[in-house]
Amino acid sequence: MANDKFQLTKEAALKYDSHSVPAMFAPLARATMEKIDLPPSAHVIDIACGTGALTREITSCLTGRGRIVGVDLNETMVTVARENQPESNHNVEWYAADVCNIPCDDKSFDFGFIQQGLQFFPDKSASLKEVHRVLRPNGRLVLTCWRAVSPFNGALADALERHVGETAATKARAPFSFRDGNVITKLLRDAEFEIVLHDAVVLERRFDDLHSQIMALPIEADLRQAGDTVIKTVVTEVSAELSQYYKDGILCVPQEAHLFCAKPVASTK
Ligand SMILES: C[S@@+](CC[C@H](N)C(=O)[O-])C[C@H]1O[C@@H](n2cnc3c(N)ncnc32)[C@H](O)[C@@H]1O
């Protein structure tokens, strides 16, 4: 079994897939693939694949005899990804594994993708070295990581700080904890990658149902413990704080990501 310190329940994985994926991770996957020229027969690994938002997008780009592998630390995320994968010419190989221990041979892949995973890896340097190991010499790492705290998460964290506590507020900010482009650039270079593209992707995250989308986040248990009155207050305050982002009654909040594309260089050590 993969590292069990970070395992989610199946219910949490399904909530992630039904709320956060359509609102954010699927649009980010589409925006990323629009910027990347993926050969139709490429061998590709999606690392920290979650429930497979990006893996599905990659699958739809591979028209030839490519190979696709999805790897995530969470067994439940991988299970949901496997259950979600539509019938196609490609049988995705799914593995529950830590990024530092990818169960694939050296130099197996033309492309390695990490969509919104790097910020959660405890040993980022070892993670990137492991990705370097499985990439072919002319391969590419495509990495996205949020570039600024989104107005939504900022407003949510502030409301949680006021009404629930610091631990919940920190969880709401966690996806944005690693966002300095210069730090990511140095990390990539230190892991022997040469950056060939550093771009920005700006998404509009839609909230069709703010209450449900807040309750689908990892802070759900903290909010439930705080009780219904607090939940109502948090949702009301977040909505008020974001009033400038309502368009025709729907909340649409911008969210920006770094997009890096880097190629492995031969080791100098
Ligand atoms: C925000 S989600 C992104 C998932 C997916 N890439 C997407 O776009 O929907 C972060 C993912 O990183 C995974 N993760 C965290 N630490 C990991 C590790 N050490 N090795 C592999 N995956 C990890 C989590 O299980 C989670 O699925």
Side-chain angles (χ1 to χ4, degrees), residues 145-168:
C145 215
W146 300 124
R147 171 173 107 136
V149 179
S150 91
F152 163 69
N153 287 72
L156 177 62
D158 290 349
L160 290 169
E161 216 160 55
R162 286 191 292 274
H163 304 289
V164 181
E166 192 51 45
T167 308

Side-chain angles (χ1 to χ4, degrees), residues 172-244:
R173 293 192 187 102
F176 308 90
S177 56
F178 196 72
R179 58 179 190 275
D180 185 330
N182 293 327
V183 174
I184 300 171
T185 297
K186 181 167 184 327
L187 193 67
L188 284 166
R189 289 192 179 136
D190 288 350
E192 317 218 43
F193 283 97
E194 179 191 329
I195 294 166
V196 293
L197 171 79
H198 178 193
D199 207 346
V201 178
V202 183
L203 304 173
E204 239 185 19
R205 180 172 174 183
R206 272 176 69 98
F207 293 86
D208 296 308
D209 177 350
L210 184 59
H211 175 275
S212 304
Q213 279 165 271
I214 288 178
M215 294 307 282
L217 296 173
I219 45 139
E220 180 195 2
D222 307 76
L223 280 166
R224 286 213 187 285
Q225 207 179 2
D228 286 346
T229 311
V230 168
I231 295 173
K232 209 170 158 195
T233 306
V234 167
V235 174
T236 306
E237 288 188 8
V238 170
S239 177
E241 185 66 29
L242 299 176
S243 56
Q244 63 177 302

Side-chain angles (χ1 to χ4, degrees), residues 1-2 7-8 72-80 82 96-97:
M1 193 200 205
Q7 296 300 311
L8 290 173
D72 196 280
L73 182 62
N74 262 287
E75 293 189 341
T76 50
M77 293 296 238
V78 174
T79 301
V80 174
R82 190 183 285 114

Side-chain angles (χ1 to χ4, degrees), residues 2 15 17 21 23 52 57 78 82 84 95 107 110 119 140 146 156 169 179 181 194 199 228 245 248 255 257 262:
K15 273 194 181 173
D17 193 60
V21 166
E57 205 55 40
V78 174
R82 190 183 285 114
N84 274 347
Y95 299 106
K107 301 184 177 37
D110 304 299
Q119 60 269 54
R140 294 286 184 272
W146 300 124
L156 177 62
R179 58 179 190 275
E194 179 191 329
D199 207 346
D228 286 346
Y245 298 111
D248 301 325
Q255 192 149 331

